[in-house]
Amino acid sequence: MNSADLLVNVFMPAVLVALAWWMPSLTSPTLPFGVRSPEARADAPEVARHRGRYRWQVTASGVLLITAGVLVSSTLRFDLPGVVLLLTIAACTAAYGRARAAVLAVKRREHWYDGLRQGVVADTTLHTDPERFPWVWAVPALLVCTGTTVLGVLRYPSLPDRVPVHFAGSGSADRFADRSIGTAFFPVFTQVALTALILALTLLSFRARADLDPARPADSARRHRRFSVRTAISLLLLAAFVDLSLLAGAWAMWHTDQQASPALILLPVLAGLVVVIGIAVRTGQGGSRLPAQDGVVAERGTGTVRRDDDRYWRLLGSAYVNRADPAVLVQKRFGIGWTINLGNPRGAVLLLGLILTPALLVPLLLR
């Protein structure tokens, strides 16, 4: 098993299993497996039992799949490119679906929201006095893009008539194309497009609607501000790491006498994901894991709970569809970050653009 196989079939599935194991702790205690619940039910024995079962299933399936992949690849010499990772994703998704269905059943059976006062709250200062966008953290990605562009301009005159556009797992080029601006500078165009996309989405999410707790609106607004800044920083750093991976691929592409190192290409992306995950673990979704700021008096609860809005969340709670909600981006119910409101026409247009843009640009650049 070469280094690329180890990364794809061992390291990445292991990171995925660890993240899936941690996920229930990253989201708000009032959203066990994406199910809206009152604060009084956050530590319910049923929720704790299903959380433990979910973690056991995720761990067991991950260990079995990774071990089986290593044995098959090592003893039978049969390559499984990405299969172990895909099966691990499927196993973690199935475990999450079972846990979510179980918590929903308990919620309906015990009528968790009977007799409770539901409400929503907004903090207008998030728009009138927003946090400053951390532009300085976009500099590393921009510098990597600039450096790759300069290197490409210097190398272009000496490139052969046929340049490699794909590398096998061993690092050797196995597909070539005629030299052109589109083929030779494809890594640069990809860097620019990805950096611009991540920057645009980060800017948009920075102004996304806050999911504030009506029981403690001031405290949740403070947490949201810190969450927005930290998440934006992590995404901008991820863009820089992805650009480094593309730079490594471009270097191999522009030096046809050298083999590409799969480990060198994949490691920056993995490092970026580790940074994102590390910040997410410290922060939590919506700032749920952040401590109260020093010197801030604990806020008294108002007795109001978040409204029960499970009906707007489809596909195991991963898709938000609410035509009455003007928000384009909303916080995820399970995981870190934001998702698109598919009930909003602008959200549907945004999703369509995210899908069609790469599908149209790639053939155009490689012509």
Side-chain angles (χ1 to χ4, degrees):
M1 182 178 289
N2 57 40
S3 58
D5 289 335
L6 283 173
L7 283 171
V8 175
N9 293 327
V10 177
F11 184 76
M12 292 179 67
V15 171
L16 175 64
V17 169
L19 181 59
W21 192 94
W22 264 103
M23 200 62 71
S25 299
L26 301 184
T27 54
S28 171
T30 60
L31 280 173
F33 299 101
V35 179
R36 180 69 75 189
S37 64
E39 187 176 357
R41 298 284 183 170
D43 298 322
E46 298 86 352
V47 174
R49 184 174 69 253
H50 292 301
R51 185 184 298 119
R53 184 177 300 173
Y54 160 82
R55 283 175 165 163
W56 182 88
Q57 291 173 347
V58 164
T59 304
S61 60
V63 170
L64 288 175
L65 288 171
I66 293 172
T67 303
V70 171
L71 291 176
V72 170
S73 180
S74 301
T75 60
L76 301 180
R77 305 296 181 183
F78 182 73
D79 292 333
L80 297 171
V83 173
V84 175
L85 180 61
L86 291 175
L87 291 176
T88 304
I89 293 174
C92 292
T93 302
Y96 163 74
R98 286 192 290 267
R100 174 179 169 81
V103 173
L104 273 171
V106 174
K107 174 183 176 179
R108 292 164 181 163
R109 185 175 63 250
E110 298 184 357
H111 307 287
W112 284 0
Y113 272 86
D114 283 1
L116 297 180
R117 185 176 63 181
Q118 303 179 38
V120 294
V121 64
D123 186 348
T124 56
T125 63
L126 293 174
H127 293 280
T128 59
D129 184 26
E131 293 292 308
R132 291 185 178 180
F133 189 81
W135 287 104
V136 67
W137 293 96
V139 172
L142 297 176
L143 288 177
V144 175
C145 288
T146 303
T148 309
T149 303
V150 172
L151 179 62
V153 170
L154 295 176
R155 288 292 303 170
Y156 186 77
S158 60
L159 291 179
D161 293 335
R162 301 275 291 175
V163 294
V165 294
H166 187 270
F167 296 87
S170 61
S172 58
D174 59 0
R175 193 182 305 162
F176 294 81
D178 294 335
R179 185 185 71 170
S180 67
I181 297 296
T183 55
F185 285 86
F186 182 75
V188 176
F189 293 137
T190 305
Q191 280 182 334
V192 173
L194 283 176
T195 301
L197 178 63
I198 292 176
L199 182 58
L201 291 176
T202 305
L203 277 167
L204 186 61
S205 65
F206 204 73
R207 298 293 185 266
R209 188 194 66 200
D211 183 18
L212 302 184
D213 184 1
R216 297 175 180 83
D219 177 66
S220 58
R222 284 193 297 267
R223 292 173 186 268
H224 174 79
R225 287 177 178 272
R226 296 156 70 189
F227 163 73
S228 297
V229 173
R230 291 190 180 192
T231 305
I233 290 173
S234 70
L235 292 176
L236 295 174
L237 289 176
L238 177 62
F241 281 109
V242 173
D243 288 343
L244 283 175
S245 285
L246 290 168
L247 172 58
W251 180 269
M253 182 178 178
W254 296 333
H255 294 77
T256 54
D257 57 333
Q258 300 180 13
Q259 285 192 331
S261 171
L264 187 61
I265 294 175
L266 290 175
L267 280 177
V269 175
L270 295 176
L273 292 176
V274 169
V275 170
V276 172
I277 293 170
I279 293 177
V281 170
R282 289 291 303 273
T283 306
Q285 175 68 324
S288 60
R289 294 176 61 85
L290 291 173
Q293 291 178 312
D294 295 338
V296 176
V297 179
E299 186 177 8
R300 295 183 59 183
T302 63
T304 305
V305 299
R306 286 184 173 97
R307 62 173 181 166
D308 184 8
D309 54 356
D310 287 344
R311 64 187 180 277
Y312 299 120
W313 292 87
R314 319 283 177 78
L315 298 176
L316 299 180
S318 61
Y320 181 69
V321 184
N322 186 356
R323 293 182 177 86
D325 191 344
V328 175
L329 294 179
V330 295
Q331 288 184 19
K332 290 181 178 179
R333 298 292 286 267
F334 194 76
I336 294 293
W338 296 266
T339 189
I340 298 174
N341 178 12
L342 299 178
N344 187 319
R346 291 181 298 166
V349 171
L350 175 61
L351 178 61
L352 188 63
L354 293 176
I355 296 173
L356 292 181
T357 300
L360 295 175
L361 285 179
V362 172
L364 181 63
L365 293 174
L366 293 180
R367 290 179 60 182

